[in-house]
Coordinates of all heavy atoms in Angstrom, one line a residue:
M7 N 84.5 103.2 87.4 CA 83.6 102.6 88.4 C 83.6 103.4 89.7 O 82.6 103.5 90.4 CB 84.3 101.2 88.8 CG 84.1 100.2 87.8 SD 82.3 99.8 87.4 CE 81.9 98.8 88.7
Y8 N 84.8 104.1 90.0 CA 84.8 105.0 91.1 C 83.8 106.1 91.2 O 83.1 106.3 92.1 CB 86.3 105.5 91.3 CG 86.4 106.5 92.4 CD1 86.4 106.1 93.8 CD2 86.4 107.8 92.2 CE1 86.4 107.0 94.8 CE2 86.5 108.8 93.3 CZ 86.5 108.3 94.5 OH 86.6 109.2 95.5
A9 N 83.6 106.7 90.0 CA 82.6 107.8 89.8 C 81.2 107.3 90.1 O 80.4 107.9 90.7 CB 82.8 108.5 88.5
R10 N 80.9 106.0 89.6 CA 79.6 105.5 89.8 C 79.3 105.2 91.2 O 78.2 105.5 91.7 CB 79.5 104.2 88.9 CG 78.1 103.6 89.0 CD 78.0 102.5 88.0 NE 76.8 101.8 88.2 CZ 76.7 100.5 88.4 NH1 77.8 99.8 88.5 NH2 75.5 100.0 88.5
R11 N 80.4 104.7 91.9 CA 80.2 104.3 93.4 C 80.0 105.7 94.1 O 79.2 105.7 95.1 CB 81.3 103.6 93.9 CG 81.3 102.2 93.5 CD 82.3 101.4 94.2 NE 83.6 101.9 94.5 CZ 84.7 101.7 93.7 NH1 84.7 100.7 92.9 NH2 85.9 102.2 94.0
R12 N 80.7 106.7 93.7 CA 80.6 108.0 94.5 C 79.2 108.6 94.3 O 78.6 109.1 95.2 CB 81.6 108.9 94.0 CG 81.8 110.2 94.8 CD 83.0 111.0 94.3 NE 82.7 111.4 93.0 CZ 83.6 111.8 92.1 NH1 84.8 111.8 92.4 NH2 83.3 112.2 90.8
H13 N 78.7 108.5 93.0 CA 77.4 109.0 92.8 C 76.3 108.3 93.6 O 75.3 108.9 94.1 CB 77.0 109.0 91.3 CG 77.7 110.0 90.5 ND1 78.3 109.6 89.2 CD2 78.1 111.3 90.7 CE1 79.0 110.7 88.8 NE2 78.8 111.7 89.7
V14 N 76.4 106.9 93.6 CA 75.5 106.2 94.4 C 75.6 106.5 95.9 O 74.5 106.6 96.5 CB 75.7 104.7 94.2 CG1 74.9 103.8 95.2 CG2 75.4 104.2 92.7
Y15 N 76.8 106.7 96.4 CA 76.9 107.1 97.8 C 76.3 108.4 98.1 O 75.5 108.5 99.1 CB 78.5 107.1 98.1 CG 78.7 107.7 99.5 CD1 78.6 106.9 100.6 CD2 79.1 109.0 99.7 CE1 79.0 107.4 101.9 CE2 79.3 109.5 100.9 CZ 79.3 108.7 102.1 OH 79.4 109.1 103.3
F16 N 76.5 109.4 97.3 CA 75.9 110.6 97.5 C 74.4 110.6 97.3 O 73.7 111.4 98.1 CB 76.5 111.7 96.6 CG 77.9 112.2 97.1 CD1 79.0 112.1 96.3 CD2 78.0 112.8 98.4 CE1 80.2 112.4 96.8 CE2 79.3 113.1 98.9 CZ 80.4 113.0 98.1
A17 N 73.8 109.8 96.5 CA 72.4 109.7 96.3 C 71.8 109.0 97.6 O 70.7 109.5 98.1 CB 72.1 108.8 95.1
M18 N 72.5 108.0 98.1 CA 72.0 107.4 99.4 C 72.1 108.3 100.5 O 71.1 108.4 101.3 CB 72.9 106.1 99.6 CG 72.6 105.0 98.6 SD 73.6 103.6 98.9 CE 72.8 102.8 100.3
M19 N 73.1 109.1 100.6 CA 73.2 110.0 101.8 C 72.2 111.2 101.6 O 71.7 111.7 102.6 CB 74.7 110.5 101.9 CG 75.7 109.5 102.3 SD 75.2 108.6 103.8 CE 75.5 109.9 105.0
G20 N 72.0 111.6 100.4 CA 71.0 112.6 100.1 C 69.6 112.2 100.5 O 68.8 112.9 101.1
T21 N 69.3 110.8 100.2 CA 68.1 110.3 100.5 C 67.9 110.2 102.1 O 66.8 110.5 102.7 CB 67.9 108.9 99.9 OG1 68.0 109.0 98.5 CG2 66.6 108.2 100.3
C22 N 69.0 109.8 102.8 CA 69.0 109.8 104.2 C 68.6 111.2 104.8 O 67.8 111.2 105.6 CB 70.3 109.3 104.7 SG 70.6 109.3 106.5
L23 N 69.3 112.2 104.3 CA 69.1 113.5 104.7 C 67.7 114.0 104.5 O 67.0 114.6 105.4 CB 70.1 114.5 104.1 CG 70.1 115.9 104.7 CD1 70.4 115.9 106.1 CD2 71.2 116.7 103.8
A24 N 67.1 113.7 103.2 CA 65.9 114.0 102.9 C 64.8 113.4 103.9 O 63.8 114.0 104.2 CB 65.6 113.7 101.5
L25 N 65.1 112.1 104.1 CA 64.2 111.4 105.0 C 64.1 112.1 106.4 O 63.0 112.2 107.0 CB 64.5 110.0 105.2 CG 64.2 109.0 104.1 CD1 64.8 107.7 104.2 CD2 62.7 108.9 104.0
F26 N 65.2 112.4 107.0 CA 65.3 113.1 108.3 C 64.5 114.4 108.2 O 63.7 114.7 109.1 CB 66.6 113.3 108.8 CG 67.2 112.2 109.6 CD1 68.4 111.5 109.1 CD2 66.6 111.8 110.7 CE1 68.9 110.5 109.8 CE2 67.2 110.8 111.5 CZ 68.3 110.1 111.0
V27 N 64.7 115.2 107.2 CA 64.2 116.5 107.2 C 62.6 116.4 107.0 O 62.0 117.1 107.6 CB 64.9 117.4 106.1 CG1 64.1 118.6 105.8 CG2 66.3 117.7 106.4
L28 N 62.2 115.6 106.0 CA 60.9 115.4 105.8 C 60.1 114.8 107.0 O 59.0 115.2 107.3 CB 60.6 114.6 104.6 CG 60.9 115.2 103.2 CD1 60.8 114.3 102.1 CD2 59.9 116.4 103.1
A29 N 60.8 113.9 107.7 CA 60.1 113.2 108.8 C 59.8 114.2 109.9 O 58.7 114.2 110.4 CB 61.0 112.2 109.4
W30 N 60.7 115.0 110.3 CA 60.5 116.0 111.4 C 60.0 117.4 111.0 O 59.6 118.1 111.8 CB 61.7 116.1 112.3 CG 62.0 114.7 112.9 CD1 63.0 113.9 112.6 CD2 61.1 114.0 113.8 NE1 62.8 112.7 113.3 CE2 61.7 112.7 114.0 CE3 59.9 114.3 114.4 CZ2 61.1 111.8 114.8 CZ3 59.3 113.3 115.2 CH2 59.9 112.0 115.4
G31 N 60.1 117.7 109.7 CA 59.6 119.0 109.2 C 58.2 118.9 108.7 O 57.5 119.9 108.8
V32 N 57.8 117.8 108.2 CA 56.5 117.7 107.5 C 55.6 116.6 108.1 O 54.5 116.7 108.6 CB 56.7 117.5 106.0 CG1 55.3 117.4 105.3 CG2 57.4 118.7 105.4
V33 N 56.1 115.3 108.1 CA 55.4 114.1 108.3 C 54.9 114.1 109.8 O 53.8 113.6 110.1 CB 56.2 112.9 108.0 CG1 55.4 111.6 108.3 CG2 56.5 112.9 106.5
R34 N 55.7 114.6 110.8 CA 55.4 114.5 112.2 C 54.1 115.3 112.4 O 53.4 115.0 113.5 CB 56.5 115.0 113.0 CG 56.6 116.5 113.0 CD 57.5 117.1 114.0 NE 57.8 118.5 113.7 CZ 57.2 119.5 114.2 NH1 56.1 119.2 115.1 NH2 57.4 120.7 114.0
L35 N 53.7 116.3 111.6 CA 52.5 117.0 111.8 C 51.2 116.0 111.7 O 50.2 116.3 112.2 CB 52.4 118.2 110.8 CG 53.6 119.2 110.9 CD1 53.4 120.2 109.8 CD2 53.4 119.8 112.3
W36 N 51.4 115.0 110.8 CA 50.2 114.1 110.6 C 50.4 112.8 111.4 O 49.4 112.3 111.8 CB 50.1 113.8 109.1 CG 49.6 114.9 108.4 CD1 48.3 115.4 108.3 CD2 50.4 115.8 107.6 NE1 48.2 116.4 107.5 CE2 49.5 116.8 107.1 CE3 51.7 116.0 107.3 CZ2 49.9 117.9 106.3 CZ3 52.1 117.1 106.6 CH2 51.2 118.0 106.1
S37 N 51.6 112.3 111.5 CA 51.8 111.1 112.2 C 53.3 110.9 112.7 O 54.1 110.7 112.0 CB 51.6 109.9 111.2 OG 51.8 108.6 111.8
V38 N 53.3 111.0 114.1 CA 54.7 110.8 114.7 C 55.2 109.4 114.5 O 56.4 109.3 114.2 CB 54.6 111.2 116.2 CG1 55.8 110.8 116.9 CG2 54.2 112.7 116.3
P39 N 54.4 108.3 114.6 CA 55.0 107.0 114.3 C 55.5 106.8 112.9 O 56.6 106.2 112.8 CB 53.8 106.0 114.6 CG 52.9 106.7 115.5 CD 53.0 108.3 115.1
V40 N 54.9 107.4 111.9 CA 55.4 107.3 110.6 C 56.8 108.1 110.5 O 57.8 107.7 109.9 CB 54.4 107.8 109.6 CG1 55.1 107.9 108.2 CG2 53.2 106.9 109.5
A41 N 56.8 109.2 111.2 CA 58.0 110.0 111.2 C 59.2 109.3 111.9 O 60.4 109.3 111.4 CB 57.8 111.3 111.9
V42 N 58.9 108.6 113.0 CA 59.9 107.7 113.6 C 60.4 106.7 112.7 O 61.6 106.3 112.6 CB 59.4 107.2 115.0 CG1 60.4 106.2 115.6 CG2 59.2 108.4 116.0
G43 N 59.4 106.0 112.0 CA 59.8 105.0 111.0 C 60.7 105.5 110.0 O 61.6 104.7 109.6
M44 N 60.4 106.7 109.5 CA 61.2 107.2 108.4 C 62.6 107.4 108.9 O 63.6 107.2 108.3 CB 60.7 108.5 108.0 CG 59.4 108.4 107.1 SD 58.6 109.9 106.7 CE 59.8 110.7 105.6
C45 N 62.7 107.8 110.2 CA 64.0 108.0 110.8 C 64.8 106.7 111.0 O 66.0 106.7 110.9 CB 63.9 108.7 112.2 SG 63.6 110.5 111.9
V46 N 64.1 105.7 111.4 CA 64.7 104.3 111.5 C 65.3 103.9 110.1 O 66.3 103.4 110.1 CB 63.7 103.3 112.1 CG1 64.2 101.9 111.9 CG2 63.4 103.7 113.5
V47 N 64.5 104.1 109.1 CA 64.9 103.8 107.8 C 66.2 104.6 107.4 O 67.2 104.1 106.8 CB 63.9 104.0 106.7 CG1 64.3 103.8 105.3 CG2 62.8 102.9 106.9
A48 N 66.1 105.9 107.7 CA 67.3 106.8 107.4 C 68.5 106.4 108.2 O 69.6 106.6 107.8 CB 66.9 108.2 107.7
M49 N 68.3 105.8 109.4 CA 69.4 105.4 110.3 C 70.1 104.2 109.6 O 71.4 104.1 109.8 CB 68.9 105.0 111.6 CG 69.9 104.6 112.6 SD 69.1 104.1 114.2 CE 68.1 102.7 113.7
V50 N 69.5 103.4 108.9 CA 70.2 102.2 108.2 C 70.9 102.6 107.0 O 71.8 101.9 106.6 CB 69.0 101.2 107.9 CG1 69.6 100.0 107.2 CG2 68.4 100.7 109.2
I51 N 70.6 103.6 106.4 CA 71.2 104.0 105.1 C 72.7 104.3 105.2 O 73.4 103.9 104.3 CB 70.4 105.2 104.4 CG1 69.1 104.7 104.1 CG2 71.2 105.7 103.2 CD1 68.1 105.8 103.5
P52 N 73.2 105.1 106.1 CA 74.6 105.5 106.1 C 75.6 104.3 106.2 O 76.6 104.3 105.4 CB 74.8 106.4 107.4 CG 73.5 107.1 107.5 CD 72.5 105.9 107.1
P53 N 75.4 103.2 107.0 CA 76.3 102.1 106.9 C 76.2 101.4 105.6 O 77.3 101.0 105.0 CB 75.8 101.2 108.1 CG 75.0 102.0 109.0 CD 74.5 103.1 108.1
L54 N 75.1 101.3 105.0 CA 74.9 100.7 103.7 C 75.7 101.5 102.7 O 76.3 101.0 101.7 CB 73.5 100.5 103.2 CG 72.7 99.5 104.1 CD1 71.2 99.5 103.7 CD2 73.4 98.1 104.1
A55 N 75.5 102.9 102.7 CA 76.3 103.7 101.8 C 77.8 103.6 101.9 O 78.4 103.6 100.9 CB 75.9 105.2 102.0
A56 N 78.2 103.4 103.1 CA 79.7 103.2 103.3 C 80.2 101.9 102.7 O 81.2 101.9 102.1 CB 80.0 103.2 104.8
V57 N 79.4 100.9 102.8 CA 79.7 99.6 102.2 C 79.7 99.7 100.7 O 80.7 99.2 100.0 CB 78.7 98.5 102.6 CG1 78.8 97.3 101.8 CG2 78.9 98.2 104.1
V58 N 78.7 100.4 100.1 CA 78.7 100.6 98.7 C 79.9 101.4 98.2 O 80.5 101.1 97.2 CB 77.3 101.3 98.2 CG1 77.4 101.8 96.8 CG2 76.2 100.3 98.5
A59 N 80.2 102.5 98.9 CA 81.3 103.4 98.5 C 82.7 102.7 98.6 O 83.5 103.0 97.8 CB 81.3 104.6 99.4
N60 N 82.8 101.7 99.5 CA 84.1 101.1 99.7 C 84.3 99.8 99.1 O 85.3 99.1 99.2 CB 84.5 101.0 101.2 CG 84.7 102.3 101.8 OD1 85.4 103.1 101.3 ND2 84.0 102.6 103.0
R61 N 83.2 99.3 98.4 CA 83.3 98.0 97.6 C 84.2 98.0 96.5 O 84.3 99.0 95.8 CB 81.8 97.7 97.2 CG 81.7 96.3 96.5 CD 80.2 96.1 96.1 NE 79.8 97.2 95.3 CZ 79.8 97.1 93.9 NH1 80.3 96.0 93.3 NH2 79.3 98.1 93.2
R62 N 84.9 97.0 96.3 CA 85.8 96.9 95.2 C 85.1 96.3 94.0 O 84.4 95.3 94.1 CB 87.0 95.9 95.5 CG 87.8 96.4 96.6 CD 89.1 97.0 96.1 NE 89.9 97.5 97.2 CZ 90.7 98.5 97.1 NH1 90.8 99.2 96.0 NH2 91.4 98.9 98.1
G63 N 85.2 96.9 92.8 CA 84.6 96.4 91.7 C 85.6 95.5 90.9 O 86.7 95.3 91.3
P64 N 85.0 94.9 89.8 CA 85.9 94.0 89.0 C 87.1 94.7 88.3 O 88.1 94.0 88.1 CB 85.0 93.4 88.0 CG 83.8 94.3 88.0 CD 83.7 95.0 89.3
D65 N 87.0 96.0 88.1 CA 88.1 96.7 87.5 C 89.2 97.2 88.6 O 90.2 97.7 88.2 CB 87.6 98.0 86.8 CG 86.7 97.6 85.6 OD1 86.9 96.4 85.1 OD2 85.9 98.4 85.2
D66 N 88.8 97.2 89.9 CA 89.7 97.6 91.0 C 90.6 96.4 91.3 O 90.3 95.7 92.3 CB 89.0 98.1 92.1 CG 88.1 99.3 91.7 OD1 88.4 100.0 90.8 OD2 87.0 99.5 92.4
R67 N 91.6 96.1 90.6 CA 92.4 95.0 90.8 C 93.7 95.3 91.6 O 94.8 95.3 91.2 CB 92.8 94.3 89.6 CG 91.7 94.0 88.6 CD 91.0 92.7 89.0 NE 92.0 91.6 89.3 CZ 92.2 90.6 88.5 NH1 91.6 90.4 87.4 NH2 93.1 89.7 88.8
W68 N 93.6 95.7 92.9 CA 94.7 96.2 93.7 C 95.7 95.0 94.0 O 96.9 95.1 94.2 CB 94.3 96.7 95.1 CG 93.4 95.7 95.9 CD1 92.0 95.6 95.8 CD2 93.8 94.9 96.8 NE1 91.6 94.6 96.7 CE2 92.7 94.1 97.3 CE3 95.1 94.4 97.3 CZ2 92.8 93.1 98.2 CZ3 95.1 93.4 98.3 CH2 94.0 92.8 98.7
W69 N 95.3 93.8 93.9 CA 96.1 92.6 94.1 C 97.0 92.3 93.0 O 97.9 91.5 93.0 CB 95.3 91.4 94.5 CG 94.3 91.0 93.5 CD1 94.5 90.2 92.4 CD2 92.9 91.3 93.5 NE1 93.4 90.1 91.7 CE2 92.4 90.8 92.3 CE3 92.1 92.2 94.3 CZ2 91.1 91.0 92.0 CZ3 90.8 92.3 93.9 CH2 90.2 91.7 92.9
D70 N 96.8 93.0 91.8 CA 97.7 92.8 90.7 C 99.0 93.5 90.8 O 99.9 93.3 90.0 CB 97.0 93.3 89.4 CG 96.0 92.3 88.9 OD1 96.0 91.2 89.4 OD2 95.2 92.7 88.0
D71 N 99.2 94.4 91.7 CA 100.4 95.1 91.9 C 101.5 94.2 92.3 O 101.4 93.3 93.1 CB 100.3 96.3 93.0 CG 99.3 97.2 92.6 OD1 99.1 97.5 91.4 OD2 98.8 98.0 93.5
P72 N 102.7 94.4 91.7 CA 103.9 93.4 92.0 C 104.2 93.7 93.5 O 104.2 94.8 94.0 CB 105.0 93.9 91.1 CG 104.5 95.1 90.2 CD 103.0 95.3 90.6
S73 N 104.7 92.6 94.1 CA 105.0 92.6 95.5 C 106.4 93.1 95.7 O 106.9 93.5 96.8 CB 104.8 91.3 96.2 OG 105.7 90.4 95.6
G74 N 107.3 93.0 94.6 CA 108.7 93.4 94.8 C 109.6 92.1 94.9 O 110.8 92.2 94.7
D75 N 109.0 90.9 95.2 CA 109.7 89.7 95.2 C 109.5 89.0 93.8 O 108.4 88.5 93.6 CB 109.2 88.8 96.3 CG 109.9 87.4 96.4 OD1 111.0 87.3 95.8 OD2 109.4 86.6 97.1
P76 N 110.6 89.0 93.0 CA 110.4 88.4 91.6 C 109.9 86.9 91.6 O 109.1 86.6 90.8 CB 111.8 88.5 91.0 CG 112.6 89.4 92.0 CD 112.0 89.4 93.2
K77 N 110.4 86.2 92.6 CA 109.9 84.8 92.6 C 108.5 84.6 93.0 O 107.7 83.9 92.4 CB 110.8 84.0 93.6 CG 110.6 82.5 93.7 CD 111.3 81.9 92.6 CE 111.3 80.4 92.8 NZ 111.6 79.6 91.7
S78 N 108.1 85.4 94.0 CA 106.6 85.4 94.4 C 105.7 86.0 93.2 O 104.7 85.4 92.9 CB 106.4 86.3 95.5 OG 105.1 86.4 95.9
D79 N 106.1 87.1 92.6 CA 105.4 87.7 91.5 C 105.3 86.6 90.3 O 104.2 86.5 89.7 CB 106.1 88.9 90.9 CG 105.9 90.0 92.0 OD1 105.1 90.0 92.9 OD2 106.7 91.0 91.8
E80 N 106.4 85.9 90.1 CA 106.4 84.9 88.9 C 105.4 83.8 89.3 O 104.6 83.3 88.5 CB 107.7 84.4 88.7 CG 107.8 83.4 87.7 CD 109.3 82.9 87.5 OE1 110.2 83.7 87.7 OE2 109.4 81.7 87.1
W81 N 105.4 83.4 90.6 CA 104.5 82.3 91.0 C 103.0 82.7 90.9 O 102.2 82.0 90.4 CB 104.9 81.9 92.5 CG 104.1 80.8 93.0 CD1 104.3 79.5 92.7 CD2 103.1 80.8 94.0 NE1 103.4 78.7 93.5 CE2 102.6 79.5 94.2 CE3 102.4 81.9 94.6 CZ2 101.6 79.2 95.1 CZ3 101.4 81.6 95.5 CH2 101.0 80.3 95.7
W82 N 102.7 83.9 91.4 CA 101.3 84.4 91.4 C 100.9 84.6 89.9 O 99.7 84.3 89.5 CB 101.1 85.8 92.1 CG 101.1 85.5 93.6 CD1 102.0 85.7 94.5 CD2 99.9 84.9 94.3 NE1 101.6 85.3 95.7 CE2 100.3 84.8 95.6 CE3 98.7 84.4 93.9 CZ2 99.5 84.3 96.6 CZ3 97.9 83.8 94.9 CH2 98.3 83.8 96.2
D83 N 101.8 85.1 89.1 CA 101.3 85.3 87.6 C 101.1 83.9 87.0 O 100.2 83.8 86.2 CB 102.5 86.0 86.9 CG 102.6 87.5 87.2 OD1 101.6 88.0 87.8 OD2 103.6 88.1 86.9
E84 N 101.9 82.9 87.3 CA 101.6 81.6 86.8 C 100.2 81.1 87.3 O 99.5 80.4 86.5 CB 102.7 80.6 87.3 CG 102.6 79.3 86.8 CD 103.6 78.3 87.4 OE1 104.7 78.8 87.7 OE2 103.4 77.1 87.4
L85 N 99.9 81.4 88.6 CA 98.6 80.9 89.0 C 97.5 81.6 88.4 O 96.4 81.1 88.1 CB 98.5 81.1 90.5 CG 99.2 80.2 91.4 CD1 99.1 80.5 92.9 CD2 98.7 78.8 91.3
D86 N 97.7 82.9 88.1 CA 96.7 83.7 87.4 C 96.5 83.5 85.9 O 95.7 84.0 85.3 CB 96.9 85.2 87.7 CG 96.6 85.7 89.1 OD1 95.9 84.9 89.8 OD2 97.1 86.7 89.5
G87 N 97.6 82.8 85.4 CA 97.6 82.5 83.9 C 98.1 83.7 83.1 O 97.8 83.8 81.9
K88 N 98.8 84.5 83.8 CA 99.4 85.7 83.1 C 100.9 85.4 82.7 O 101.6 84.8 83.5 CB 99.3 87.0 83.9 CG 97.9 87.4 84.1 CD 97.9 88.8 84.7 CE 98.1 88.7 86.1 NZ 98.1 90.1 86.8
K89 N 101.3 86.0 81.7 CA 102.7 85.9 81.3 C 103.3 87.4 81.5 O 102.9 88.3 80.8 CB 103.0 85.5 79.9 CG 102.5 84.1 79.7 CD 103.3 83.1 80.3 CE 102.9 81.7 80.0 NZ 103.4 80.7 80.9
R90 N 104.2 87.5 82.4 CA 104.9 88.8 82.7 C 106.3 88.7 82.1 O 107.0 87.8 82.3 CB 104.9 89.1 84.2 CG 105.5 90.5 84.5 CD 105.5 90.7 86.0 NE 104.1 90.8 86.4 CZ 103.7 91.4 87.6 NH1 104.7 91.7 88.4 NH2 102.5 91.5 87.9
P91 N 106.7 89.8 81.4 CA 108.1 89.8 80.9 C 109.0 89.7 82.1 O 108.9 90.4 83.1 CB 108.2 91.1 80.1 CG 107.0 91.9 80.5 CD 106.0 91.0 81.1
R92 N 110.1 88.9 81.9 CA 111.1 88.7 83.0 C 111.9 90.1 83.1 O 112.3 90.6 82.1 CB 112.0 87.6 82.7 CG 111.4 86.3 82.8 CD 112.5 85.2 82.8 NE 112.0 83.9 83.1 CZ 111.8 83.4 84.3 NH1 112.2 84.2 85.3 NH2 111.4 82.2 84.5
S93 N 112.2 90.4 84.3 CA 113.0 91.6 84.5 C 114.5 91.1 84.8 O 114.6 90.1 85.5 CB 112.5 92.4 85.8 OG 112.4 91.6 86.9
P94 N 115.4 91.9 84.4 CA 116.8 91.3 84.5 C 117.3 91.4 86.0 O 116.9 92.0 86.8 CB 117.7 92.3 83.6 CG 116.8 93.4 83.3 CD 115.4 93.0 83.6

C-alpha cells in the first residue's frame, strides 16, 4: 500500500508542476485568465497530495502494536476478538 500511495503522491505533484509550467509557459500567450485558473487548480493539489500520502490504509495497523502493559494488551485483544498467546 505504501508504494501505491507514493506513486499517487508523485503523480499528483507532477500534475501540479505541469500545470504551473504549462500555465505560464504556454497558456498565458492565449489567455491569462485560463492560466490563472490553472494555477489556482495547481495550488489546491499539494495539500490533497499530502493527505493522500499520509492516509492510513487498511493494512497499516499501527494500533496493533503491543503497548507493553500485559493487562491492557489482553483487554484490547479481547475487544478486537483476537487470541494472543500469554507471555510468562
Side-chain angles (χ1 to χ4, degrees):
M7 290 298 283
Y8 174 72
R10 181 172 176 236
R11 285 194 314 257
R12 190 177 62 205
H13 288 138
V14 171
Y15 173 80
F16 283 120
M18 290 177 79
M19 292 306 288
T21 302
C22 175
L23 187 61
L25 280 171
F26 271 120
V27 170
L28 286 174
W30 296 113
V32 178
V33 177
R34 72 171 172 89
L35 300 173
W36 288 279
S37 175
V38 172
V40 171
V42 170
M44 288 172 68
C45 285
V46 168
V47 170
M49 180 180 65
V50 173
I51 293 174
L54 294 177
V57 168
V58 167
N60 291 313
R61 184 178 56 93
R62 296 260 182 209
D65 296 335
D66 300 333
R67 302 281 313 256
W68 57 271
W69 56 86
D70 283 349
D71 294 337
S73 67
D75 179 17
K77 186 80 169 164
S78 176
D79 292 339
E80 182 181 327
W81 183 76
W82 281 109
D83 287 343
E84 181 182 336
L85 284 178
D86 289 339
K88 292 191 278 183
K89 298 291 183 194
R90 182 178 290 196
R92 287 194 175 271
S93 60

